[in-house]
Structures are given as C-alpha cells and as structure tokens.
Amino acid sequence: MDAVFYFKRRNFLKVESKHQELEEGLSNVDDLIAAIENNQEMDVTWYLNQVKTELSNISGSHKDWHGSISRFGKVIDKQLTENVSFLSNKAVTSGKNSYLLNQLICEHLLRQGNLELVEKFLNDSGHQLDEGKKRPFVELNKIVEALKRKDLEPALQWCERNKAALKKKNSSLEFMLHRLIFIFFVER
C-alpha cells in the first residue's frame, strides 16, 4: 500500500509541475500576442518563432501531463479489481441455489424501493415471491416516501400497529415521531 501511495504522490507532484509549466507557457503566448498587437513596427518572423517555440513547449508538457494522468487510471483500475467469476458458477445459478439467488435479488430490490423492477424481475424469471414477504417492504417504502414529504402519519400508524414489538425492544420511535410533529408545528 505504501508503494501505491508513493506512486500516487510522485505522479501528483509531476502533474502539478506540468500544470504550472502549461500555465507559464500560455502566459508567455498571451504576452507575445499582446506585444504583437501593441507594437506597430515589429519583426513578425521573430514573434512567430517565439510563439511556435512556446507552443511546442506547451505541447511537450501536455504530452507528459497526459501520460501521468493516464497512469493514475491504471493504478486505480488495479486497486479496484474484483473477482466476479463466481457469478458464472453453475452451482450458484442452478437448482435450489437459483431459487435462493432470485429470492435474494428480489429482497435486495425491495429494500431499495424498486417495486416495479421487482415485478418485472419476477415476470421475467418466472420466480414467485410470497406476498407476505413483499408486504412489509411495500409498507416500508410507502412510509419512507411519506417521510420525504414530511408526512409522519403513516409512520405513526405503523407504530400503533406494532406497539407491542416496539415496547419489547424498548424503542422510542413513537416518541421521536411525535417530537418531529411538534418541531414541524413550531417551524410553521
């Protein structure tokens, strides 16, 4: 890991110095252009040669700069490689494991609130998901959407229906929701 950090730091410093060289070169070109515009009696070929020299310096710096930046991408790619070969393993995608994998995908999509995507996945895969498993996620997503609109009523109704379980866990969720209602009221 220290070698990677050293490589990144060294290339960052190289990129930073190339950036400064590019800025200086562009500044020199701007100065030459201003001199050409201000000077009526001038040797145009001398100015043109100066501009060409500066532009070739800028071009060389740009090539070095680009090389350093492209190496960053390679280092990042090496650091972020993941082995996904297990996804093509027949033992994972066939038989009972296939059923479990499809169920896992459905539950993940339900947790993310992608109800329409779950329905499409179930239709495409031919997999069936018990309505009892889907119902809590549907209710949860409705509550989350309501909370985004600052509507706490669905959450309070859920707390009322699940009062015994919340009490068993010593949860203060219902109190915190009522406190939020008070805060919203005071804000208005």
Side-chain angles (χ1 to χ4, degrees):
M1 193 65 168
D2 292 331
V4 172
F5 175 76
Y6 174 74
F7 178 80
K8 290 177 184 177
R9 178 73 180 147
R10 188 183 70 207
N11 280 322
F12 174 76
L13 294 174
K14 193 183 290 184
V15 168
E16 192 173 353
S17 71
K18 293 300 176 186
H19 176 72
Q20 289 173 349
E21 287 177 26
L22 286 172
E23 288 292 326
E24 289 172 11
L26 290 174
S27 176
N28 290 342
V29 169
D30 287 341
D31 293 344
L32 288 171
I33 290 172
I36 291 171
E37 290 174 350
N38 292 334
N39 193 355
Q40 299 298 330
E41 298 171 14
M42 62 183 160
D43 183 14
V44 175
T45 55
W46 182 84
Y47 283 111
L48 287 176
N49 287 334
Q50 290 296 320
V51 169
K52 285 180 184 177
T53 302
E54 284 300 325
L55 289 177
S56 70
N57 291 341
I58 290 171
S59 176
S61 293
H62 179 265
K63 288 177 186 173
D64 291 343
W65 194 41
H66 182 70
S68 296
I69 289 174
S70 68
R71 278 187 233 114
F72 272 129
K74 291 175 185 174
V75 168
I76 289 170
D77 288 343
K78 286 179 183 175
Q79 295 297 316
L80 298 178
T81 57
E82 289 188 34
N83 183 7
V84 293
S85 62
F86 69 91
L87 292 175
S88 64
N89 188 343
K90 293 287 184 197
V92 173
T93 59
S94 64
K96 184 175 183 193
N97 290 336
S98 172
Y99 171 78
L100 293 174
L101 181 63
N102 287 341
Q103 186 173 356
L104 186 70
I105 291 169
C106 286
E107 287 180 7
H108 171 74
L109 293 173
L110 285 168
R111 282 188 188 94
Q112 298 298 316
N114 297 322
L115 303 175
E116 298 84 22
L117 191 56
V118 170
E119 291 300 324
K120 178 136 180 60
F121 178 76
L122 290 173
N123 289 337
D124 291 349
S125 68
H127 182 71
Q128 297 295 320
L129 188 64
D130 183 25
E131 200 59 40
K133 285 191 173 199
K134 197 188 306 184
R135 191 175 311 116
F137 293 110
V138 171
E139 185 177 15
L140 174 67
N141 288 313
K142 286 179 183 176
I143 291 171
V144 168
E145 289 302 315
L147 289 174
K148 287 178 183 176
R149 295 186 313 271
K150 294 186 176 184
D151 178 13
L152 302 177
E153 192 59 36
L156 284 171
Q157 290 172 355
W158 183 88
C159 285
E160 191 62 37
R161 285 192 308 272
N162 295 287
K163 193 172 243 171
L166 290 172
K167 193 171 194 172
K168 188 185 286 186
K169 292 183 180 183
N170 219 8
S171 174
S172 61
L173 179 62
E174 188 174 11
F175 170 74
M176 292 191 309
L177 288 171
H178 282 290
R179 187 173 66 181
L180 267 174
I181 289 173
F182 178 75
I183 291 171
F184 290 157
F185 179 73
V186 170
E187 285 178 349
R188 290 182 202 165

